Amino acid sequence: MRGAVIHGPRDIRFEERESPRIIQPTDAIIRMSATCVCGSDLWSYRGISQVNGPTPIGHEYCGIVEEVGTAVTSTKPGQFVIGSFFASDNTCPHCQLGYHTSCQHRELVGGAQAPMLRVPLADGTLVATPELPSKDLIPSLLSLSDVMGTGWFAADAADVKRGKTVAVVGDGAVGLLGVLSAKQMGAERIIAMSRHEARQKLAREFGATDIVTERDEQGVARIKELTNGIGADSVLECVGTQQSMIQAIRATRPGGHVSYVGVPHGVELKGADLFYRHVHLHGGPAPVRRYLPELIRLAWNRKINPGKVFDLTLPLEQVAEGYRAMDERRAIKALLRP
Ligand SMILES: [Zn+2]
Ligand SMILES: [Zn+2]
């Protein structure tokens, strides 16, 4: 089969790769219905994260089960399934407590920008839809594999509740879906920080009530101004830089909650700074698996339409163009069809 392989900075090739096969009896092989490029793939694309030799890339997926290992019992060939970027057993103590991305047996799922994918720990990882989905639902179902699940975790970890004031730092797909999640959870006021017109528009569609275009100290001052000088109850940090993290912490009221779901790159926090801020911090790789059943139900019943973040659809063989478009911020998120 042919799939995406990253060779180095700005070098994505669509080339011959070994077809996945069952290795462990707990594996499943799925035939991809759609996959996509993630904001976190751009860290290696931009050369910020090191690439050691040609590496199959991609970690967001949904599709039809083709084959299962002998120990797989609940996942069946022919089902349409969605899974997270970390495979998890769904039975260990961490999974039981909802932290599947800290599963004692977690395994990274990689190489998903391809027509076929091996998913380890299939029974714990994959969640099936009630039936085969209609074609127009596929973008929304695909988004649950990472960005929608991550946006939802961002809102949940920041303790978003009915009537609260929420600020979202970052206008990538995760930040925008953090806005959608906060709206679903009943937030009264949702402030999106964005200086990009198309993204502001989508943020408003997803439920943002205010847009702040300023950054750094001015951005924080603007949020204070909008909240009677207090700061937001919940702030979702969806970028992963020092600048965005500091902005998130400073925009939060004392006693408020900051969630952080952007993979940190060069973030360093000073103890004394944190001590006098009085904020709750909760973040990490989103335990997407915890939320999949509920998010599938919401998307299936068309209560949410997170698939709107895909503003570019390409055939899988043009995967390199998907990376270019996202790198140049011409696209929010690129969906790839095998
Ligand atoms: Zn991702
Ligand atoms: Zn586990």
Side-chain angles (χ1 to χ4, degrees), residues 89-90 92 95 103-104:
D89 57 16
N90 201 30
C92 79
C95 286
C103 175
Q104 289 173 339

Side-chain angles (χ1 to χ4, degrees), residues 26-30 59-63 65 71-76 79-92 95 100-101 103-110 117-129 141 144-146 286-293 296:
T26 45
D27 289 349
I29 303 294
I30 69 169
H59 58 264
E60 303 184 21
Y61 58 95
C62 64
V65 180
V72 174
T73 55
S74 59
T75 305
K76 303 223 172 2
Q79 283 178 328
F80 184 94
V81 291
I82 305 157
S84 156
F85 44 90
F86 266 121
S88 53
D89 57 16
N90 201 30
T91 54
C92 79
C95 286
H100 297 75
T101 32
C103 175
Q104 289 173 339
H105 302 105
R106 75 173 182 186
E107 235 181 279
L108 204 53
V109 180
L117 177 71
R118 179 180 83 94
V119 181
L121 302 169
D123 279 341
T125 305
L126 298 169
V127 181
T129 53
L141 294 171
L144 310 186
S145 175
D146 181 357
V288 169
R289 173 64 183 83
R290 187 203 315 177
Y291 304 115
L292 275 177
I296 288 175

